[in-house]
């Protein structure tokens, strides 16, 4: 039995650090052992320009613990009005690594997102020309499409045509949740990848809905049935470099989750690599964790891999009931329960 696992320092290719006073807790959490993270731009208001991204970068750096070398990687929030010239500027900044497509209304703070892809074809051309990835929240938003089908319908009706129209565009299908997404990514060109969260590897919709409704498991895209969870586990542990780590750790204050109409998002940054280790261990695939967590994302983005290591030990610890989050608290995944791995 493996009791110590040393891997190259991992990166998180999809996280929500929020803004303002919340950075005081979210940044130290991600900086504990991640080398870099792709910082989602769905703030209020969103991060739409290079100047705004650089300003957000500085606020994150200001909240970084003094000894830390953690590096935030910035993302622009795509809107119907995004200027195609912004992409060259973003690339030249050296700080912006990607642009994020939120279909308008698909998820938290996405109302300013894109209403029709045709509105941003000019931007997508520039992204392909600058070899900058488009990150995609892959769900349709039509009221008549069932919430459990929204990822698959997005792939069939939006993503497939998009990859045909822009065959050279690098795309990350973020936080995939279905066997359909796994299949699509496996069959697509090498420059089409996907992130997978720890919670979609560890849980399915039963965890959210059986024996009472558990709002802290509610995230988007929503947890699916167990067969989809199994497909994600197989993909993440397959050693296929198209699949890499993106926690989608998405904190909301406790009152925004435990409510008649609760927000979407689960907090996992308190124990991200530890939770992934549990999932990989379940699959007898701890030897595949390093590629998924520390190599494939950097390779996909064309960035150097980190050159130091972290060590996980198999040691149980108790997760607090909540953590400070701005003026409130956030309830993390596994709150009050135990986690089987700890980072030294
Ligand atoms: N995943 C979520 O359920 N929520 C995210 C938004 C997102 O990544 O879609 C958030 O910002 O809260
Ligand atoms: Zn999303
Ligand atoms: Zn997210």
């Amino acid at each position: 039995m493996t009791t110590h696992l040393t891997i190259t320092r991992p990166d998180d290719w999809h996280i929500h650090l929020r803004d303002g006073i919340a950075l005081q807790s979210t940044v130290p959490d991600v900086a504990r052992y991640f080398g870099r993270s792709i910082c989602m731009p769905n703030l209020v208001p969103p991060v739409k320009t290079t100047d705004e991204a650089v300003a957000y970068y500085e606020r994150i750096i200001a909240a970084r613990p003094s000894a830390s070398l953690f590096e935030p990687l910035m993302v622009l929030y795509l809107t119907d009005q995004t200027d195609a010239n912004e992409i060259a500027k973003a690339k030249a900044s050296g700080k912006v690594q990607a642009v994020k497509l939120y279909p308008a209304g698909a998820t938290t703070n996405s109302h300013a997102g894109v209403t029709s892809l045709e509105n941003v074809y000019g931007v997508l051309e520039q992204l392909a020309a600058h070899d900058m990835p488009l990150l995609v929240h892959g769900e349709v938003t039509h009221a008549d499409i069932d919430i459990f089908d929204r990822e698959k319908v997005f792939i069939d009706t939006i993503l497939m045509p998009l990859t045909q129209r822009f065959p050279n565009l690098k795309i990350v299908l973020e936080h995939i949740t279905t066997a359909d997404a796994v299949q699509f990514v496996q069959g697509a060109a090498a420059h089409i990848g996907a992130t997978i969260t720890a919670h979609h590897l560890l849980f399915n919709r039963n965890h959210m809905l059986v024996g009472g409704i558990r709002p802290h498991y509610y995230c988007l895209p929503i947890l699916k049935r167990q067969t989809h969870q199994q497909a994600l586990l197989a993909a993440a542990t397959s050693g296929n470099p198209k699949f890499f780590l993106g926690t989608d750790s998405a904190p909301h204050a406790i009152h925004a989750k435990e409510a008649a109409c609760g927000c979407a998002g689960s907090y996992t940054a308190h124990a991200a690599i530890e939770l992934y280790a549990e999932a990989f261990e379940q699959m007898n695939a701890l030897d595949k964790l390093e590629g998924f967590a520390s190599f494939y994302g950097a390779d996909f983005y064309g960035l150097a891999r980190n050159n130091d290591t972290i060590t996980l030990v198999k040691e149980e610890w108790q997760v607090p009931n909540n953590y400070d989050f701005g003026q409130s608290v956030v309830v993390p995944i596994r709150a009050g329960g135990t986690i089987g791995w700890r980072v030294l």
Side-chain angles (χ1 to χ4, degrees):
M1 193 181 77
T2 310
T3 58
H4 280 67
L5 183 65
T6 296
I7 60 171
T8 299
R9 184 178 298 283
D11 302 301
D12 184 348
W13 301 96
H14 181 138
I15 194 169
H16 300 270
L17 298 177
R18 310 306 190 202
D19 204 358
I21 180 177
L23 296 175
Q24 298 303 323
S25 56
T26 58
V27 178
D29 263 0
V30 70
R32 242 172 351 119
Y33 47 70
F34 282 114
R36 295 161 289 196
S37 77
I38 279 279
C39 305
M40 284 294 143
N42 61 334
L43 307 183
V44 189
V47 179
K48 292 186 288 200
T49 65
T50 305
D51 292 346
E52 288 164 359
V54 171
Y56 184 33
Y57 172 91
E58 300 296 347
R59 297 197 294 280
I60 294 168
I61 292 291
R64 184 175 68 173
S66 50
S68 171
L69 297 175
F70 166 75
E71 184 67 14
L73 308 176
M74 309 315 290
V75 179
L76 300 186
Y77 182 118
L78 191 55
T79 75
D80 287 342
Q81 282 81 40
T82 302
D83 181 353
N85 296 318
E86 192 67 31
I87 303 309
K89 191 173 169 190
K91 185 84 181 184
S93 76
K95 296 205 161 51
V96 177
Q97 292 293 340
V99 169
K100 179 71 187 254
L101 167 65
Y102 291 103
T107 186
T108 306
N109 297 333
S110 63
H111 46 270
V114 173
T115 59
S116 166
L117 269 184
E118 284 156 43
N119 298 331
V120 296
Y121 279 170
V123 178
L124 300 183
E125 274 162 26
Q126 286 304 304
L127 284 176
H130 287 88
D131 199 32
M132 187 177 271
L134 178 72
L135 315 183
V136 178
H137 181 107
E139 289 191 290
V140 293
T141 56
H142 323 299
D144 56 336
I145 307 291
D146 189 274
I147 187 169
F148 290 100
D149 298 333
R150 288 178 172 203
E151 183 173 275
K152 175 175 168 39
V153 174
F154 182 90
I155 291 167
D156 294 344
T157 64
I158 313 276
L159 196 52
M160 297 260 202
L162 179 69
T163 56
Q164 280 152 14
R165 186 170 192 107
F166 297 94
N168 299 321
L169 179 62
K170 256 189 187 178
I171 299 175
V172 184
L173 186 53
E174 299 286 337
H175 48 40
I176 60 170
T177 62
T178 57
D180 310 281
V182 168
Q183 247 174 39
F184 166 79
V185 172
Q186 281 169 342
H191 57 273
I192 314 280
T195 53
I196 306 181
T197 76
H199 46 288
H200 287 97
L201 293 175
L202 290 169
F203 309 120
N204 59 62
R205 63 196 192 183
N206 277 7
H207 294 90
M208 177 175 58
L209 295 171
V210 172
I213 185 159
R214 293 164 208 276
H216 299 291
Y217 289 89
Y218 174 64
C219 63
L220 289 171
I222 198 160
L223 292 169
K224 306 296 191 298
R225 63 168 63 241
Q226 189 184 27
T227 48
H228 291 296
Q229 181 194 0
Q230 285 163 343
L232 298 173
L233 280 164
T237 58
S238 67
N240 183 336
K242 287 166 152 275
F243 300 101
F244 46 89
L245 185 156
T247 61
D248 193 20
S249 181
H252 291 274
I254 185 169
H255 59 80
K257 294 285 294 174
E258 299 180 5
C261 182
C263 293
S266 297
Y267 195 65
T268 53
H270 62 302
I273 197 71
E274 298 90 332
L275 290 166
Y276 280 107
E278 281 191 3
F280 277 64
E281 186 179 30
Q282 271 174 33
M283 295 294 285
N284 263 319
L286 279 172
D287 60 319
K288 297 290 199 304
L289 183 62
E290 184 178 41
F292 176 83
S294 315
F295 294 166
Y296 306 149
D299 297 351
F300 185 92
Y301 276 80
L303 298 171
R305 296 174 180 179
N306 294 317
N307 52 23
D308 55 349
T309 60
I310 67 165
T311 298
L312 288 127
V313 283
K314 194 154 168 68
E315 193 177 291
E316 221 168 63
W317 58 283
Q318 178 140 19
V319 180
N321 291 329
N322 55 59
Y323 289 97
D324 287 345
F325 179 59
Q327 274 147 0
S328 180
V329 294
V330 59
V331 178
I333 285 293
R334 217 32 96 57
T338 58
I339 290 183
W341 289 90
R342 195 168 69 76
V343 174
L344 279 184

